[in-house]
Amino acid sequence: MKKQNLFISGYHFFLALLFIYVGAQVIQGRLGEYPREWLTKLPFTSWVLPGFAILLLGLSHLFVAGIGLFQSRSIVARLTLLMGSFLIVSGILSIMILGETYLATVELILLGSIHLVLGGIILWKAAHSSQSIRI
């Protein structure tokens, strides 16, 4: 197995643990009161649904980490790029919908950017090695 796949799988595994932990904390209501000013802007009225979304995000990172151990680096790179794009779009949409930036938004955009850089590096290295990749 390539070191790149092992590194990127480890990165996704770390994020999976982080998102699963945070999702569980959110579902249990450990973030405090749900902001009243969000009630008119979002279709849910508690932290439960966002918590499940965060858990799902963690499980998807766990899935990508597992795939990274057994698949080619081009597949892992593409999934990493896809996950990064999703995180960035999620951060931007939350800014647009809520009309404000909060710490989690910045973290989503930062993590998404890291995904894009890592996925791009892996694809670039694969394209410039003896392995050929079709995009």
Side-chain angles (χ1 to χ4, degrees):
M1 179 187 349
K2 298 278 185 191
K3 285 190 267 183
Q4 294 166 349
N5 275 25
L6 190 58
F7 175 76
I8 200 76
S9 290
Y11 174 70
H12 281 289
F13 183 72
F14 171 73
L15 288 178
L17 293 178
L18 181 68
F19 282 125
I20 290 169
Y21 174 76
V22 169
Q25 296 295 309
V26 169
I27 289 172
Q28 294 173 4
R30 303 239 169 128
L31 291 182
E33 298 265 335
Y34 189 78
R36 293 182 193 271
E37 55 272 3
W38 291 5
L39 291 174
T40 58
K41 300 175 183 178
L42 297 174
F44 37 85
T45 59
S46 73
W47 288 114
V48 175
L49 191 58
F52 279 117
I54 295 169
L55 279 177
L56 184 61
L57 186 61
L59 293 175
S60 64
H61 273 86
L62 195 58
F63 176 74
V64 173
I67 284 182
L69 297 175
F70 304 107
Q71 296 295 323
S72 70
R73 62 184 170 172
S74 66
I75 292 172
V76 175
R78 289 179 186 146
L79 288 172
T80 301
L81 291 170
L82 180 68
M83 297 288 287
S85 300
F86 176 76
L87 289 173
I88 290 172
V89 167
S90 296
I92 292 170
L93 281 176
S94 70
I95 292 170
M96 291 171 56
I97 292 170
L98 296 175
E100 62 182 284
T101 303
Y102 55 99
L103 185 57
T105 306
V106 176
E107 291 170 347
L108 285 176
I109 293 172
L110 179 64
L111 287 174
S113 299
I114 292 170
H115 278 65
L116 294 182
V117 169
L118 289 175
I121 288 171
I122 293 171
L123 275 180
W124 183 83
K125 283 188 173 191
H128 289 87
S129 70
S130 59
Q131 236 182 345
S132 64
I133 292 181
R134 281 192 255 163
I135 296 178

